[in-house]
Amino acid sequence: MKTAQKKYDILIIGAGAAGMAAAVTAGEQAPGARILVLEKKEEPGKKILATGNGRCNLSNRNCPGFPEIRPFFRHLGILTREEEGRIYPYTEDARDVRDALKDRMDQLGVECITGAAVTGIRPPEQGKPFRITWKGGETHADQVLLAAGGKAGPAFGTTGDGGKLAGSMGHRITRLAPVLSAVETKEDLSRAAGVRTPAEVGVWSAEDPVFRERGELQITKYGISGIVVFNASRCLTIPEGKNLRNGFDDYTIRVDLAPDMKLEQVRTMLTEEQALRPDRTPLRVLLRRNLADFLWEQAGERVSEAAELLKNWPLHPKGVKGWDFAQVTKGGVPENEVDRTTMQSVFVPGLYLAGEVLDYDGPCGGYNLQHAWETGIRAGRAMAVRFSGEE
Ligand SMILES: Cc1cc2nc3c(=O)[nH]c(=O)nc-3n(C[C@H](O)[C@H](O)[C@H](O)COP(=O)(O)OP(=O)(O)OC[C@H]3O[C@@H](n4cnc5c(N)ncnc54)[C@H](O)[C@@H]3O)c2cc1C
């Protein structure tokens, strides 16, 4: 096991997307700096490997910061390709992205200690550096970047330490919730489980529409899933004063299973179909068998009700699949508690925060990695500038 030196110029907590982007940037822009990255898991960038189903959807054309990210990766030997706005490595292999960052850190002489879960940061006192402790180790640093992520995907090392460490340094943490996750419904949909179908999904909070998007809806044993549902989950947060038991009671999800047709057209179509093939569920002309049979039964085997249901299928969320299944954390350190250009804490000079530890969550499609890279790069750049000024 690697041991740390007594002191570093720059110390980064968390070798995830933000931490690695920061390490590479600081290493390139401050070649003389002694840089250490401490990572809780046994290898750096474990979550990156799982992103985009192993393809790593690393950014999105619609992100304002995308033009800066493309050359950053090109410089590391990663060419990108675009698919409906989503940006992937040309090789479509997340491992290439992780390895490019890791290899560049090695080339630049950035030290990385894995299996090192940081348990404490003590802020500088009277000209002394930060003191950082982890199980089995301790060191000091002039500047510290906290890039330990949120709580989503604990299997990848993110169990909420980032928030706790930020809190110990005087930062506020807004309420955390798992988002970009599947939704459990009060209705039992298990009979239609396995069906994937195009749909328009809307979310209402009491009488207010709060979300509407088209995409592929997946029906599961416990409820609904798919990218469109993941995006909808960002609106399904438990209101203040409510809890897991009643927190979703005010929400209704309304699914349109024939978004390209008007209600009247659907009704006509089903009436015709029933006349032509009276021995079969008329909904079969529009939907996969399991879902068609299920909804036909729900509609009391009446065409008019079936048409209504097809265009406006109300579902009631019981909850969002928890931290183990969610891709992203909603909540964290408010972004106004950092300087947005340098990512430096407004409370503790020399402390920086980047990535999902901050209160930012974006939709599916590369927005969350983009946020991690760009805030990591900003912090890395600022730490290099400060190091060079003090040298
Ligand atoms: C399955 C999955 C798929 C995803 N797919 C995409 C996608 O395709 N596109 C997209 O934009 N976003 C995707 N995301 C979201 C994206 O991966 C995250 O938003 C992003 O990785 C956040 O970057 P980060 O550096 O802040 O945190 P992370 O990448 O989570 O890294 C934080 C690191 O800190 C380490 N750490 C935690 N606590 C400590 C500690 N106490 N001491 C030391 N180290 C610590 C962790 O082990 C981890 O390595 C996906 C997420 C998941 C879970």
Side-chain angles (χ1 to χ4, degrees):
M1 169 138 169
K2 275 197 218 163
T3 50
Q5 297 172 41
K6 274 211 158 69
K7 186 177 164 253
Y8 291 84
D9 300 304
I10 293 170
L11 186 142
I12 296 170
I13 303 172
M20 293 175 94
V24 166
T25 307
E28 290 188 344
Q29 299 190 10
R34 287 164 303 171
I35 306 175
L36 174 66
V37 182
L38 293 171
E39 168 52 45
K40 180 177 184 172
K41 296 299 280 186
E42 65 288 353
E43 60 176 321
K46 244 191 133 180
K47 192 182 283 178
I48 297 173
L49 299 178
T51 57
N53 282 327
R55 292 166 70 209
C56 187
N57 175 196
L58 59 85
S59 183
N60 193 291
R61 167 152 298 283
N62 297 320
C63 294
F66 168 60
E68 189 191 8
I69 292 308
R70 193 158 54 171
F72 173 79
F73 279 107
R74 182 71 198 94
H75 174 69
L76 297 178
I78 300 291
L79 202 62
T80 54
R81 69 162 85 220
E82 187 183 329
E83 200 181 289
E84 294 172 0
R86 295 163 180 246
I87 309 295
Y88 294 90
Y90 205 85
T91 57
E92 302 204 348
D93 188 350
R95 186 166 290 275
D96 289 339
V97 176
R98 195 284 302 266
D99 288 354
L101 290 157
K102 185 165 157 275
D103 293 349
R104 189 68 185 134
M105 280 164 53
D106 290 346
Q107 279 169 7
L108 292 164
V110 172
E111 288 178 43
C112 181
I113 302 183
T114 53
V118 170
T119 48
I121 318 171
R122 201 180 64 195
E125 288 163 13
Q126 292 148 9
K128 286 194 181 149
F130 288 90
R131 182 171 148 231
I132 297 93
T133 46
W134 63 97
K135 207 174 165 205
E138 165 184 319
T139 189
H140 296 84
D142 289 331
Q143 304 187 74
V144 172
L145 166 62
L146 183 53
K151 271 183 90 169
F156 307 107
T158 36
T159 51
D161 299 0
K164 286 184 200 138
L165 292 168
S168 75
M169 301 295 278
H171 281 281
R172 230 160 34 89
I173 313 295
T174 61
R175 199 165 183 194
L176 304 181
V179 292
L180 300 199
S181 197
V183 171
E184 293 170 310
T185 55
K186 290 179 184 163
E187 292 80 8
D188 177 4
L189 308 182
S190 55
R191 277 184 48 212
V195 170
R196 291 166 179 249
T197 181
E200 186 169 284
V201 174
V203 177
W204 266 255
S205 170
E207 298 303 309
D208 301 323
V210 291
F211 175 86
R212 176 169 293 275
E213 194 175 296
R214 280 189 194 193
E216 186 190 70
L217 178 79
Q218 296 173 21
I219 316 252
T220 66
K221 279 195 291 233
Y222 51 79
I224 50 174
S225 188
I227 287 177
V228 64
V229 174
F230 277 30
N231 286 340
S233 72
R234 293 177 64 219
C235 306
L236 294 172
T237 48
I238 302 176
E240 288 296 337
K242 293 209 167 185
N243 54 40
L244 263 179
R245 204 169 32 83
N246 60 9
F248 299 94
D249 286 356
D250 290 343
Y251 294 110
T252 310
I253 298 173
R254 296 191 173 276
V255 179
D256 182 347
L257 291 162
D260 301 321
M261 294 170 105
K262 298 238 180 306
L263 175 62
E264 211 32 63
Q265 279 175 284
V266 175
R267 208 177 272 135
T268 310
M269 164 89 62
L270 295 182
T271 310
E272 272 171 25
E273 186 58 23
Q274 195 175 39
L276 284 169
R277 274 167 283 276
D279 52 336
R280 160 179 123 149
T281 304
L283 281 173
R284 288 270 296 281
V285 75
L286 294 166
L287 297 174
R288 298 266 176 112
R289 180 193 299 256
N290 291 358
L291 185 57
D293 291 347
F294 176 68
L295 287 183
W296 183 239
E297 199 182 291
Q298 298 288 306
E301 304 192 355
R302 286 187 294 268
V303 161
S304 193
E305 278 78 354
E308 294 274 353
L309 211 48
L310 196 93
K311 287 296 291 172
N312 189 4
W313 182 23
L315 295 171
H316 299 91
K318 192 160 66 177
V320 168
K321 280 282 214 184
W323 296 112
D324 289 348
F325 303 90
Q327 291 195 352
V328 169
T329 309
K330 192 179 189 78
V333 175
E335 290 202 285
N336 62 6
E337 293 190 4
V338 293
D339 173 328
R340 295 287 300 149
T341 320
T342 61
M343 305 315 292
Q344 186 168 200
S345 158
V346 296
F347 303 136
V348 187
L351 176 71
Y352 300 77
L353 297 104
E356 214 176 293
V357 71
L358 294 165
D359 184 358
Y360 167 87
D361 65 284
C364 290
Y367 293 84
N368 292 292
L369 276 175
Q370 167 70 36
H371 177 259
W373 313 126
E374 73 181 40
T375 53
I377 290 170
R378 271 185 234 156
R381 196 183 292 140
M383 292 190 292
V385 168
R386 185 168 159 150
F387 165 77
S388 306
E390 284 175 357
E391 222 180 2

